[in-house]
Amino acid sequence: DTQCGFKLFTRKAASVLSHNLHLRRWAFDTELVVVMERKGWPIAEVAVTWHEVAGSKIDESKLALALNSLGMLRDMVCVRLCYIVRLWTLSMPSATEGEKDK
């Protein structure tokens, strides 16, 4: 479930991903998957104990759901197209930036 709030990365993956993400909206996690696939990195589903917290921030009206779904579809198409036509490319963080994480 890419929309789940829980994601776990290695330090290297987190650094590379944070330097390459363009989306800041709902579909940012679909871009995570695209970048990881392009890097050839494995993606695994790991069981965690999850406790749901009441009070979703999502407007649950039918209109809001439809508009959010269309926006997400737009972002997903945008991600694929931008990487296919090389509008977006993958970069690596500099060595000094990687050292900051240690």
Side-chain angles (χ1 to χ4, degrees):
D1 177 6
T2 64
Q3 297 303 297
C4 174
F6 189 84
K7 293 162 183 57
L8 180 67
F9 304 102
T10 64
R11 182 178 297 194
K12 177 183 176 184
S15 180
V16 171
L17 290 167
S18 68
H19 284 83
N20 284 285
L21 293 183
H22 299 88
L23 292 182
R24 303 287 184 247
R25 297 179 295 264
W26 286 103
F28 84 94
D29 27 20
T30 60
E31 187 179 5
L32 285 173
V33 173
V34 170
V35 171
M36 291 185 72
E37 286 176 343
R38 288 180 163 268
K39 298 295 286 176
W41 291 342
I43 298 172
E45 192 171 324
V46 179
V48 296
T49 302
W50 185 264
H51 300 282
E52 190 64 35
V53 177
S56 174
K57 308 291 187 276
I58 298 173
D59 182 351
E60 297 177 4
S61 71
K62 289 181 182 180
L63 176 61
L65 178 61
L67 292 174
N68 286 334
S69 297
L70 288 172
M72 187 135 177
L73 177 61
R74 176 204 59 218
D75 288 349
M76 291 168 61
V77 169
C78 173
V79 167
R80 286 287 180 194
L81 287 176
C82 286
Y83 281 108
I84 287 170
V85 301
R86 298 178 187 255
L87 196 61
W88 295 347
T89 58
L90 299 180
S91 63
M92 295 293 289
S94 69
T96 56
E97 289 174 299
E99 291 299 314
K100 290 179 195 174
D101 291 340
K102 292 185 178 178

